[in-house]
Amino acid sequence: MGGEKHDQEYMKKVNKQMVLQIIKSKGPISRADIARITSMSPTSISRIVGELTELDLVQETEFYSEGVGRKGMLVNVCPESVTSIGIYINRDIVQLGLVDFCGKVVVMNTIPIEPDHHSIDEMLEKIVTGILVLKENPNYKKIIGIGVGMPGIINLEEGKVIFSAQLGWKNIELKRLIGEKTGMKVIIDNTEKLRVLAENLYGASRHSNKSALLSVGSGVGSAVVIDDEVLRGVKNSAGEIGHTTVDPEGMLCECGRRGCLQTYIAESALLKEANKVCRINSIDEIFGAAENNENWATNLLERAAKYIAIAINNIACMYNPDTIILSGRLIEHHPLIVNLIEQKMSYIWEPYEDTFKLVYSELKDEGVLIGAATLALNTYFELN
Amino acid sequence: MGGEKHDQEYMKKVNKQMVLQIIKSKGPISRADIARITSMSPTSISRIVGELTELDLVQETEFYSEGVGRKGMLVNVCPESVTSIGIYINRDIVQLGLVDFCGKVVVMNTIPIEPDHHSIDEMLEKIVTGILVLKENPNYKKIIGIGVGMPGIINLEEGKVIFSAQLGWKNIELKRLIGEKTGMKVIIDNTEKLRVLAENLYGASRHSNKSALLSVGSGVGSAVVIDDEVLRGVKNSAGEIGHTTVDPEGMLCECGRRGCLQTYIAESALLKEANKVCRINSIDEIFGAAENNENWATNLLERAAKYIAIAINNIACMYNPDTIILSGRLIEHHPLIVNLIEQKMSYIWEPYEDTFKLVYSELKDEGVLIGAATLALNTYFELN
């Protein structure tokens, strides 16, 4: 059906990316082995490795290939030669880091945000200062661009925050604002899409081709990556599971409708419910109360676990992934909720029980930042 | 990231498919115009058109191109030169048809299935007889293969029915069974995936790149097509929205869990509910009662419309399509339910209200059959 015309230039680029990918995943590796894996000619491989070496992306190592034939020096990536800046904006912290092109965070700074100080002006000042600090790090010269992850509906092409309930932002041209103040290329995306991208490349689902992620923290979201492509939808907002209805007569949601998934599992929702019973200031206090066998806390967390299991079922039914990653602060910081969720697997429709592996975020708090930096790198680092 | 090596052969095939696609959508068209649209050389276009002519797929017309330059005869498709057989299996009918390569049904037969006569043996005999009748039609000589659509979880590669609640089939090697008895190539897929494929190519969403379909009839299902690719998931069962939980304390479903979407909207569920009040034999009777303002019927349909609206919201949130197609017998045969659904749009989360067009199936009852035949054609008709 239709399709683009595959010309020489395009093939060259694809081949170069493939060779780099192989060196990343299998290096140190000989040119001969790369030729064997790719079915390309040794001459082409030598040319491409030469080009990648000139870009400082790969280098020859001290190792030589074994086996018969002429001995060749093995090549490997130089991951830190090229970096990008990843930024994770949330309502209570901003994380900024330099990430190398193998997904490793080489420098990271965290800026706390005080309650009710998350207006765009206050946040932007802190973000820009943080970027300038990273830019001046003498160890990393080649910084390709900036990737920003934040909760909400983000127009990826325009770099515009359409709507973020958690930050209270609406129609903010964040790409332009950061770009103007730093002179760097900027790309913005939604937190869950970046988390799943990072887990898919470097974390819990790196052996999967079709993985979905459910994140539960101050907000609730999901995202899917299929054959290395994030499922975006027409407005980059596929995966907004927090506002799927799981009980039409349920609790009122901030969106004005009833029984949205997030009203049962988002941290803010749990805090509101808990405060109907006693004065509670943090999620940790709820878990503490549950560990002391206080009934209200156990009930609240049991219900949260049930609705998380329902969300897992609905994700399995809708996307049929081979892996479902649970992530987000509520899950990553509280082993108790993990136990409770695993006791609720009867909420999964039977034919799907064995279709996916349930795994937990490996990158945890750093996932958004790594995903954001990687997206910037993939977008702005053109292998020409 | 990774990617396949695009070699000459592959490019040739892509180009040939592209030229055929252009002639299909824009014919009658001159070779010069095809060259202009594709940016390919006139020589290449003449060669490809020649090859397509030899395959009987295109022909020269009586028309000549206008404008300056050498006059050339316009070419167009000969849609009926190549056909495939489409089959739609349901618990109460089997439809069989010959479909040309522009998606037109040129012959169609419907076989009614009596209640409780849908065992695989009884059905297979009827299906094979139906296929042989079509095969012997003297007007259509070049029949490429058979596509079968049926409700349930289907292993596409193996052509195996893993599980169909509606037909009561489990682990049936349908592809092998039909193939052995007819000597033809057979491909099997799930009804909703075929419906959305057909609507995307020839029906209600042909101008969309990201469309989702919700089907409500004897069962409930959904499917998504993104840039001409059906979203399949790892076991070809993405889209099983009928078993997403929309109320954990809701009605008991045949799957053993509570509050699955289908318990509120599937025809069988509506009939069961209706029969709690009075003796009702068909969905038509429920709609008749609602038109006579019988309270129980109005309530039942109002509730169904509400849950269909919730399903639309959940589809929008999860897939973020630009088009949502409503299809299936309950919707296609009953204008009243359409009115009721459109009154429930407050169940859609506000940020999504304007992100999709709500449309209705254009191919209706023929959608599965056309989708199945088209899948067979795309799969077995290799343009070498």
Side-chain angles (χ1 to χ4, degrees):
Chain A
M1 303 296 112
E4 80 195 87
K5 199 180 156 201
H6 293 277
D7 59 10
Q8 289 289 115
E9 279 308 305
Y10 176 76
M11 281 171 63
K12 268 193 182 168
K13 199 171 147 181
V14 167
N15 287 340
K16 200 185 284 187
Q17 279 171 342
M18 182 169 57
V19 170
L20 181 59
Q21 193 59 35
I22 288 166
I23 302 175
K24 265 172 84 170
S25 61
K26 298 189 191 288
I29 185 171
S30 70
R31 290 173 177 80
D33 280 344
I34 302 172
R36 194 178 44 73
I37 293 169
T38 58
S39 310
M40 286 165 70
S41 73
T43 323
S44 301
I45 296 299
S46 285
R47 180 180 48 77
I48 293 174
V49 169
E51 288 167 8
L52 295 172
T53 308
E54 248 171 64
L55 289 165
D56 288 332
L57 291 173
V58 311
Q59 61 189 5
E60 298 204 312
T61 65
E62 300 149 30
F63 305 106
Y64 284 85
S65 56
E66 289 175 12
V68 295
R70 201 160 65 89
K71 300 283 178 270
M73 246 188 259
L74 302 187
V75 293
N76 207 349
V77 286
C78 348
E80 296 187 3
S81 61
V82 173
T83 58
S84 56
I85 294 176
I87 304 178
Y88 173 28
I89 304 177
N90 208 328
R91 64 185 291 151
D92 45 19
I93 51 155
V94 173
Q95 277 179 349
L96 300 105
L98 272 176
V99 178
D100 74 20
F101 90 87
C102 287
K104 208 180 108 198
V105 181
V106 291
V107 181
M108 184 162 104
N109 302 317
T110 302
I111 304 168
I113 303 297
E114 279 165 54
D116 301 320
H117 282 69
H118 41 72
S119 75
I120 177 66
D121 291 335
E122 288 170 283
M123 297 282 271
L124 189 63
E125 201 192 312
K126 291 185 173 163
I127 292 165
V128 169
T129 310
I131 293 169
L132 297 179
V133 169
L134 289 175
K135 248 181 101 172
E136 280 156 20
N137 188 315
N139 296 321
Y140 303 99
K141 302 248 177 258
K142 203 165 179 177
I143 303 175
I144 293 294
I146 299 172
V148 180
M150 57 169 287
I153 296 182
I154 313 291
N155 182 318
L156 186 73
E157 286 80 37
E158 296 178 17
K160 198 168 154 184
V161 182
I162 304 300
F163 174 63
S164 173
Q166 287 183 64
L167 290 156
W169 295 0
K170 216 169 179 172
N171 291 320
I172 304 285
E173 294 188 312
L174 193 59
K175 174 187 174 138
R176 186 178 60 74
L177 292 171
I178 297 178
E180 280 175 2
K181 288 190 192 286
T182 61
M184 295 182 73
K185 288 181 179 170
V186 184
I187 188 161
I188 323 242
D189 204 351
N190 160 277
T191 43
E192 276 61 51
K193 293 190 174 62
L194 296 171
R195 276 184 212 274
V196 81
L197 187 71
E199 296 286 348
N200 183 60
L201 286 170
Y202 306 116
S205 70
R206 65 186 170 280
H207 302 298
S208 148
N209 289 321
K210 295 182 195 335
S211 54
L213 174 140
L214 173 65
S215 173
V216 188
S218 58
V220 175
S222 72
V224 178
V225 62
I226 300 167
D227 300 330
D228 294 332
E229 286 275 342
V230 175
L231 184 80
R232 297 199 170 276
V234 68
K235 297 281 185 196
N236 197 32
S237 39
E240 284 286 348
I241 197 171
H243 290 281
T244 56
T245 305
V246 290
D247 182 356
E249 317 303 333
M251 283 185 291
L252 202 60
C253 178
E254 59 189 24
C255 76
R257 298 173 312 132
R258 283 194 178 277
C260 293
L261 175 64
Q262 67 174 31
T263 61
Y264 299 96
I265 61 179
E267 287 179 350
S268 52
L270 296 180
L271 284 173
K272 246 181 237 159
E273 286 281 285
N275 274 285
K276 289 179 185 167
V277 178
C278 51
R279 184 104 192 92
I280 290 287
N281 294 308
S282 74
I283 293 292
D284 286 347
E285 289 176 36
I286 302 177
F287 279 94
E291 268 150 30
N292 287 332
N293 293 315
E294 291 182 37
N295 248 334
W296 65 268
T298 311
N299 276 336
L300 192 57
L301 295 178
E302 285 272 356
R303 191 179 71 176
K306 179 175 90 176
Y307 278 91
I308 290 172
I310 287 169
I312 293 169
N313 174 71
N314 292 0
I315 284 173
C317 287
M318 297 292 268
Y319 302 126
N320 186 213
D322 58 19
T323 306
I324 298 180
I325 309 158
L326 295 183
S327 77
R329 210 159 45 185
L330 188 77
I331 289 163
E332 286 156 15
H333 294 195
H334 303 287
L336 177 60
I337 196 88
V338 171
N339 288 342
L340 295 176
I341 294 167
E342 291 181 351
Q343 287 163 24
K344 306 284 180 192
M345 287 298 116
S346 61
Y347 283 93
I348 312 298
W349 186 33
E350 206 191 322
Y352 282 84
E353 270 170 11
D354 301 320
T355 57
F356 63 91
K357 276 202 310 193
L358 191 65
V359 300
Y360 297 89
S361 165
E362 286 181 12
L363 305 173
K364 299 191 176 165
D365 291 343
E366 293 185 353
V368 177
L369 189 153
I370 293 172
T374 303
L375 184 69
L377 208 63
N378 289 349
T379 309
Y380 297 119
F381 191 62
E382 300 257 348
L383 288 172
N384 292 318
Chain B
M1 301 297 112
E4 80 194 89
K5 200 183 155 198
H6 294 278
D7 59 10
Q8 288 289 115
E9 278 309 305
Y10 176 76
M11 280 172 62
K12 267 193 182 167
K13 199 171 147 181
V14 167
N15 287 339
K16 200 186 283 189
Q17 279 171 343
M18 182 170 57
V19 170
L20 181 58
Q21 193 58 36
I22 288 166
I23 301 174
K24 264 172 86 170
S25 61
K26 299 188 190 290
I29 185 171
S30 70
R31 290 171 176 80
D33 280 344
I34 302 171
R36 194 179 42 74
I37 293 169
T38 58
S39 310
M40 287 165 70
S41 72
T43 323
S44 301
I45 296 299
S46 286
R47 180 180 49 77
I48 293 174
V49 169
E51 289 167 7
L52 294 172
T53 308
E54 248 170 62
L55 289 165
D56 289 332
L57 292 173
V58 310
Q59 61 189 3
E60 296 203 313
T61 65
E62 301 151 27
F63 305 105
Y64 284 85
S65 56
E66 289 177 11
V68 295
R70 201 159 67 84
K71 299 283 177 267
M73 247 188 258
L74 302 187
V75 293
N76 207 350
V77 287
C78 347
E80 297 186 2
S81 61
V82 173
T83 59
S84 56
I85 293 175
I87 304 179
Y88 173 30
I89 303 177
N90 208 329
R91 63 185 294 151
D92 45 19
I93 53 156
V94 173
Q95 278 179 349
L96 301 104
L98 273 176
V99 178
D100 74 21
F101 89 87
C102 287
K104 207 180 109 197
V105 181
V106 291
V107 181
M108 184 162 103
N109 302 317
T110 302
I111 304 168
I113 304 296
E114 279 164 55
D116 301 319
H117 283 68
H118 40 73
S119 75
I120 176 67
D121 292 336
E122 288 171 283
M123 296 282 270
L124 189 63
E125 201 193 311
K126 290 186 173 161
I127 292 165
V128 169
T129 311
I131 292 170
L132 297 178
V133 169
L134 289 176
K135 247 180 103 172
E136 280 156 20
N137 188 314
N139 296 322
Y140 303 98
K141 302 248 178 257
K142 202 165 180 176
I143 303 176
I144 294 294
I146 299 172
V148 180
M150 56 169 287
I153 295 182
I154 313 290
N155 181 318
L156 185 74
E157 286 79 37
E158 296 178 17
K160 198 168 155 184
V161 182
I162 303 301
F163 174 64
S164 172
Q166 287 183 62
L167 289 156
W169 295 1
K170 216 168 179 171
N171 291 320
I172 304 285
E173 294 188 313
L174 193 59
K175 174 187 173 135
R176 186 178 60 75
L177 292 171
I178 297 178
E180 280 175 4
K181 287 191 194 287
T182 60
M184 295 182 74
K185 287 181 179 169
V186 184
I187 188 162
I188 323 240
D189 204 352
N190 161 276
T191 42
E192 276 61 52
K193 293 190 174 60
L194 296 171
R195 277 184 211 275
V196 80
L197 188 70
E199 296 286 348
N200 183 59
L201 285 170
Y202 306 116
S205 69
R206 65 185 169 280
H207 301 299
S208 148
N209 288 322
K210 294 180 196 334
S211 54
L213 174 138
L214 173 66
S215 172
V216 189
S218 58
V220 175
S222 73
V224 178
V225 62
I226 300 167
D227 299 331
D228 294 332
E229 285 278 339
V230 175
L231 184 79
R232 297 197 170 277
V234 69
K235 297 280 184 197
N236 198 32
S237 40
E240 285 286 348
I241 197 171
H243 289 282
T244 56
T245 305
V246 290
D247 182 356
E249 317 302 334
M251 283 186 289
L252 201 61
C253 178
E254 59 190 23
C255 76
R257 298 174 311 131
R258 284 195 178 275
C260 293
L261 176 64
Q262 67 174 32
T263 61
Y264 300 96
I265 61 178
E267 287 179 350
S268 52
L270 296 181
L271 283 172
K272 246 180 236 159
E273 286 281 285
N275 274 284
K276 289 178 185 170
V277 179
C278 50
R279 183 106 192 91
I280 289 287
N281 293 308
S282 74
I283 293 292
D284 286 347
E285 289 176 38
I286 301 177
F287 279 94
E291 268 150 30
N292 287 333
N293 293 316
E294 292 183 37
N295 248 333
W296 65 268
T298 312
N299 275 337
L300 193 57
L301 295 178
E302 286 272 356
R303 191 179 69 176
K306 179 174 91 175
Y307 278 91
I308 291 172
I310 287 169
I312 294 169
N313 174 70
N314 292 0
I315 285 173
C317 286
M318 297 292 267
Y319 301 126
N320 185 213
D322 58 19
T323 305
I324 298 179
I325 309 159
L326 295 183
S327 77
R329 209 159 44 186
L330 188 76
I331 288 163
E332 286 156 15
H333 294 196
H334 302 286
L336 177 59
I337 196 86
V338 171
N339 288 342
L340 294 176
I341 294 166
E342 291 181 350
Q343 286 162 25
K344 306 282 181 193
M345 286 298 116
S346 61
Y347 283 92
I348 313 298
W349 186 33
E350 206 192 321
Y352 282 85
E353 270 170 10
D354 301 321
T355 58
F356 64 91
K357 275 203 309 192
L358 191 65
V359 300
Y360 297 89
S361 165
E362 285 181 13
L363 306 173
K364 299 190 175 167
D365 290 344
E366 293 185 353
V368 177
L369 189 154
I370 294 172
T374 303
L375 185 68
L377 207 64
N378 290 348
T379 308
Y380 297 119
F381 191 61
E382 299 261 349
L383 289 171
N384 292 318

